[in-house]
Structure formats: structure tokens, C-alpha cells
Amino acid sequence: LIITIAWLVLICTSTVVIRVSESTHGVDSSPYLWDQLWLVLTTATTTGYGDIVPQTHFGRFGTIICMLSGPILVSVMTATLSRSMTLNRREELLMETLDHDELVANLQIAASNILQLWWRANIEDSKNGVGEID
């Protein structure tokens, strides 16, 4: 949760910083907020298409902050999500028990198949007179 909030703060703050810095000093920039948001998201996720670039030094500074902190936050979010998907000790024990029960059931089925084959072979042999003493 904290990492998600940090990610949102980074995105929003960087978007506003770049928007404000690019709209001053007569710099020819896009009038749309979505363009600055696009710049921040593509920079923070290391995609960086290059279709929108900051023109002022302060805008470039905000972009550099996104370049440095974006991948770190993405990797921390990925690690946190990955850790939350792993099984704890009780869940591992449950999975081992279920696997053991499945193996026992498969063993019982295999044993019953062998007994059926043996029984059928014995019945066939007795019908054909094999194994009888004359």
C-alpha cells in the first residue's frame, strides 16, 4: 500500500512539476495535461518513446527524478506482489497433505487395477482348464 501511494505521488508530482515548468518562460509545450502524464509514465516505466521531451532545465530535472525513482518503485512493487503470492508454512503443509492424499489415491487405483488383471487372468485360466490337475 505504501509503495502504491509512493508510485502515485511520484507520478502526480512529476506531472505537475513538468507541467508548471514547461508552461513558463514562453516554452512551446503541449496545452494538455495528458501529454505531461504520458511523458512521466513512459519515463518512469523505462519505455521512453521520445515523442514528448521537456524543454526547460527544471522539466528535465523532474524527468531525471522519474528516470531514477521509477524503475526502483516498479521493482519494489513487483517484489512485493511476488512475495504476497508465495505460500506460507501452513499453506505449504496443506499442499503437501493434498499431494500425499492424491498419491495414496493413485496408488490404490493402481493396486486395484493389478488385482483386477490378476483376477481376470485367473478366471480365464480356470475356464480354459489351465492350472487344473487331471
Side-chain angles (χ1 to χ4, degrees):
L1 180 66
I2 293 172
I3 297 165
T4 306
I5 292 170
W7 174 256
L8 291 174
V9 166
L10 170 73
I11 298 300
C12 294
T13 305
S14 298
T15 301
V16 170
V17 165
I18 292 172
R19 173 110 173 132
V20 168
S21 66
E22 295 295 308
S23 65
T24 59
H25 304 293
V27 174
D28 187 25
S29 66
S30 173
Y32 303 110
L33 177 68
W34 299 112
D35 287 339
Q36 284 80 24
L37 182 63
W38 175 253
L39 171 66
V40 169
L41 288 174
T42 57
T43 302
T45 58
T46 68
T47 306
Y49 290 115
D51 53 348
I52 301 171
V53 293
Q55 301 296 319
T56 63
H57 293 297
F58 198 63
R60 291 176 185 152
F61 177 73
T63 306
I64 289 172
I65 298 299
C66 286
M67 283 182 206
L68 297 175
S69 59
I72 293 170
L73 285 174
V74 169
S75 63
V76 169
M77 285 183 353
T78 303
T80 303
L81 182 64
S82 173
R83 187 177 54 158
S84 71
M85 289 183 178
T86 59
L87 300 177
N88 62 28
R89 182 63 192 138
R90 291 179 66 194
E91 291 168 337
E92 286 178 6
L93 184 60
L94 176 65
M95 290 303 294
E96 288 173 8
T97 303
L98 291 175
D99 287 342
H100 178 265
D101 291 348
E102 183 179 353
L103 289 174
V104 168
N106 289 340
L107 183 63
Q108 289 173 344
I109 290 170
S112 66
N113 288 338
I114 290 172
L115 287 174
Q116 285 176 356
L117 289 173
W118 178 81
W119 182 260
R120 288 180 183 151
N122 244 355
I123 296 294
E124 286 294 320
D125 287 347
S126 66
K127 284 182 182 177
N128 294 333
V130 177
E132 292 180 3
I133 300 176
D134 290 329

